[in-house]
Amino acid sequence: MQVKSSLLLILLLFCFSAIQSQYYLRGEVQNERGKPLEGAKIYLASQGTYVFYSEMNGLFGIPSPNPFDSITIYFDGYEVLRKKVDTRLYQTLVLKMLPATARKTRNKLSSLTKNLITENNSLFAALGESYSSLVENKFIATSNYPETGFSLNVDRASYANIRRFINNKLKVPTDAVRIEEMLNYFNLHASKKNTDSTIFHCTTTIGDCPWNNRNKLFYINITAPKINLDSIPPSNLVFLIDISGSMDKPNRLPLLQAAFNLLIQNLRPVDKISIVTYGGGVHVALAPTTGDNKDKIKNIIDSLYADGDTPGEGAIRTAYDIAKYSFIKNGNNRIILATDGDFNVGQSSEKDLEDLITFQKQSNIYLTCLGVGMGNYKDSKLEILAKKGNGNFAYLDNIQEAEKVLITEFTKTLFSVANDAYLNVNFNTEVVKQYRLIGFDNKKEAVNDSTSELEGGEVGSSHSTIAIFEIELMKENIDTLQPLAQLNLQYKQHITNEPINLNWNSISTQITNTENDNYLRFANAIIMFGELLKQSRFVKNYSFEDVITIAQQNADYTNRSQTEFISLVQNAAYIYNPLHKKRRREKN
């Protein structure tokens, strides 16, 4: 009898609801560019405070008792939309971006010289891999454009990727060569005796230019604050691992499994780890688990195998959901995406992925991308994800590189001390005639977009960034009392997001003998090597042999990376100059 009464009550409520909800408002939410907005909050006046959400493709359907109703829609980064609607008609509701959001979605530049007129460049792709087409920085007249700037970051994927090509006896795609990342890889810096490690430090030097004796090189070395190991905040890490069919090769999934097993050895009980996999579907392989459960985490990692397609979009959304669920206030909240970059299900174009990550960035969750593989590797996609996700980017070509990124340089890779960091340089027009920034080349589409703006980067604990300008002075004998330039570092503090400005004024024009600074001379060798690989128009009067000579004279032979660099240049010389190799054989 009680069951019948309950059924009768449900039936009455259903009938009452049907009478009250005679209409059903259907529609979609999108932005001004026609992009669907999923997850927008929707309120109908007739439904009181009950909240509805737009679903995939921005679609929604809401019952209403009235033929006309009032709708209110909220979505982060957009103006609130309030509108009266006819519930009998399909509604397409367009939200307008807030100015700050519009700026975030513009193309971003690695370096920027104000009001500079740009030129075109051709697209380059190789071996089924994808790289962003870059426009090399050229000489700029200081009288017209005295102010320039560049992004600071800890990305160094380019060098390991270059090494992979050369070790496989292949020429390097020109757009795969990013000289600033090559310099970053070696973490070159001057001696920092008795300095405060809690603040940014700047060292500048002016030295001779080895490939053009009429010009000088202006070195800027920025060293970030250091997080002490005993004060590292707790981590909330989500491993987002690609286990699709394309990862079924020794240098892909097995390499990543070995890499993550290295990382988990550094976990503490206060740290949390989650694992999301994607391959044929998206799966939460491990719910948030504390770092003292190392065997459990390791067993999950070891059990993974590659199969299926690549639903990268859904996997990224799931990873962010889990990271938000287990978010640690004032902690290190980060997703580590490990993949060959081949997304073939869902939003897979670079523009789609850029839009997806841009909005996820508001959650204060960082994104580190680890690239692997060959022949299917999508460098351009991973670079976009890392930069738009307020994170960093590395390429793992072997287990030694994995150990360097995830163990040796653990705090530099996974612990940020500054966000949106960039340096402005204002040259003295009475001292500098013209200049070019070496590296920090921009993507073709960003250069051609008149609304593009400088994009700041993430800087890790104690990381050292070296940037180098080739400059032509107004005259050979300059007054050393005249300043060369003024420097302004801008960034946001990690956690608080408080904007900080640091100024270094009146940079001296004193010419320094860089013969005594081996790390700067070694940096010259890296630049020369990169420009040879890029087939740069600025390569003049030097060869791979010259690079080898400079590197051998200035390398720190206790540093494995620097000694390996010499071997790499020697191998590249044989690949790019086969006749040279043949002549050496004939002599023997």
Side-chain angles (χ1 to χ4, degrees), residues 494-515:
H494 178 59
I495 298 176
T496 66
N497 244 10
E498 178 188 355
I500 303 293
N501 281 281
L502 293 176
N503 292 294
W504 293 283
N505 296 321
S506 303
I507 299 300
S508 172
T509 53
Q510 184 84 36
I511 307 300
T512 305
N513 181 7
T514 55
E515 296 285 348

Side-chain angles (χ1 to χ4, degrees), residues 422-426 486-490 501-504:
Y422 59 92
L423 187 75
N424 281 321
V425 181
N426 200 323
Q486 294 180 335
L487 308 183
N488 172 244
L489 174 64
Q490 298 186 38
N501 281 281
L502 293 176
N503 292 294
W504 293 283

Side-chain angles (χ1 to χ4, degrees), residues 551-563:
Q552 287 176 332
Q553 291 172 348
N554 296 279
D556 175 3
Y557 283 90
T558 65
N559 185 308
R560 178 180 172 275
S561 295
Q562 293 191 24
T563 56

Side-chain angles (χ1 to χ4, degrees), residues 78-241:
Y78 288 80
E79 294 180 2
V80 177
L81 175 66
R82 294 182 176 89
K83 183 179 180 180
K84 288 187 176 180
V85 291
D86 186 336
T87 59
R88 299 165 295 184
L89 301 177
Y90 187 89
Q91 300 288 336
T92 299
L93 302 170
V94 179
L95 301 190
K96 185 177 180 180
M97 283 186 184
L98 292 169
T101 306
R103 286 194 295 271
K104 287 179 182 178
T105 58
R106 292 175 184 167
N107 281 310
K108 299 294 185 175
L109 298 168
S110 296
S111 57
L112 173 65
T113 302
K114 291 188 175 180
N115 304 316
L116 181 65
I117 299 172
T118 59
E119 59 188 37
N120 291 329
N121 191 40
S122 61
L123 182 67
F124 185 94
L127 299 174
E129 303 188 3
S130 67
Y131 297 91
S132 298
S133 182
L134 301 176
V135 178
E136 188 174 21
N137 291 324
K138 59 183 180 180
F139 274 102
I140 296 169
T142 313
S143 58
N144 296 329
Y145 312 103
E147 184 178 349
T148 189
F150 55 88
S151 169
L152 303 184
N153 59 63
V154 296
D155 292 341
R156 47 190 174 273
S158 181
Y159 180 78
N161 192 29
I162 287 168
R163 179 175 62 201
R164 182 253 299 189
F165 275 99
I166 293 174
N167 285 342
N168 282 281
K169 298 181 173 54
L170 296 170
K171 289 187 176 181
V172 183
T174 55
D175 284 325
V177 181
R178 297 186 288 269
I179 292 176
E180 73 280 7
E181 291 185 22
M182 296 173 66
L183 291 166
N184 259 342
Y185 185 87
F186 295 91
N187 201 32
L188 301 169
H189 57 81
S191 175
K192 305 190 296 299
K193 294 181 180 178
N194 301 319
T195 57
D196 185 353
S197 63
T198 64
I199 60 175
F200 275 93
H201 287 275
C202 177
T203 303
T204 60
T205 309
I206 305 174
D208 293 330
C209 178
W211 56 85
N212 187 342
N213 56 19
R214 294 177 303 174
N215 290 346
K216 301 295 179 183
L217 294 181
F218 175 41
Y219 305 85
I220 303 172
N221 199 186
I222 304 289
T223 305
K226 181 179 181 180
I227 300 177
N228 293 324
L229 290 176
D230 57 357
S231 61
I232 290 177
S235 291
N236 165 35
L237 302 179
V238 179
F239 297 168
L240 178 53
I241 306 175

Side-chain angles (χ1 to χ4, degrees), residues 53 59 77 98 155 167 177 210 241 244 251 283 365 408 423 450 493-494 501 503 524 527 549-551:
Y53 292 90
L59 300 176
L98 292 169
D155 292 341
N167 285 342
V177 181
I241 306 175
S244 63
N251 64 345
H283 177 58
I365 295 168
T408 308
L423 187 75
S450 61
Q493 279 193 336
H494 178 59
N501 281 281
N503 292 294
N524 293 347
I527 291 171
T549 299
I550 294 175

Side-chain angles (χ1 to χ4, degrees), residues 302-412:
D302 290 342
S303 69
L304 302 178
Y305 62 92
D307 188 33
D309 52 22
T310 319
E313 176 201 349
I316 290 171
R317 293 183 187 277
T318 301
Y320 272 98
D321 287 343
I322 290 179
K324 292 173 187 175
Y325 171 77
S326 52
F327 190 87
I328 299 175
K329 187 177 181 181
N330 296 333
N332 175 38
N333 297 280
R334 185 177 297 269
I335 294 169
I336 303 178
L337 168 61
T339 177
D340 59 8
D342 187 21
F343 303 116
N344 55 31
V345 175
Q347 295 177 340
S348 57
S349 74
E350 291 172 19
K351 187 66 177 70
D352 286 341
L353 292 170
E354 180 178 333
D355 290 342
L356 171 63
I357 292 298
T358 296
F359 290 111
Q360 295 288 2
K361 179 179 178 179
Q362 301 175 50
S363 60
N364 290 323
I365 295 168
Y366 293 80
L367 178 65
T368 290
C369 292
L370 304 178
V372 294
M374 184 169 189
N376 198 40
Y377 173 57
K378 308 302 181 188
D379 179 276
S380 56
K381 291 183 179 180
L382 292 183
E383 183 190 12
I384 283 175
L385 288 172
K387 289 186 176 180
K388 297 301 176 182
N390 201 24
N392 52 60
F393 173 34
Y395 179 83
L396 308 183
D397 57 335
N398 54 46
I399 193 62
Q400 290 77 25
E401 184 65 15
E403 184 174 4
K404 178 178 185 289
V405 172
L406 298 176
I407 303 299
T408 308
E409 300 180 349
F410 182 70
T411 56
K412 295 172 187 173

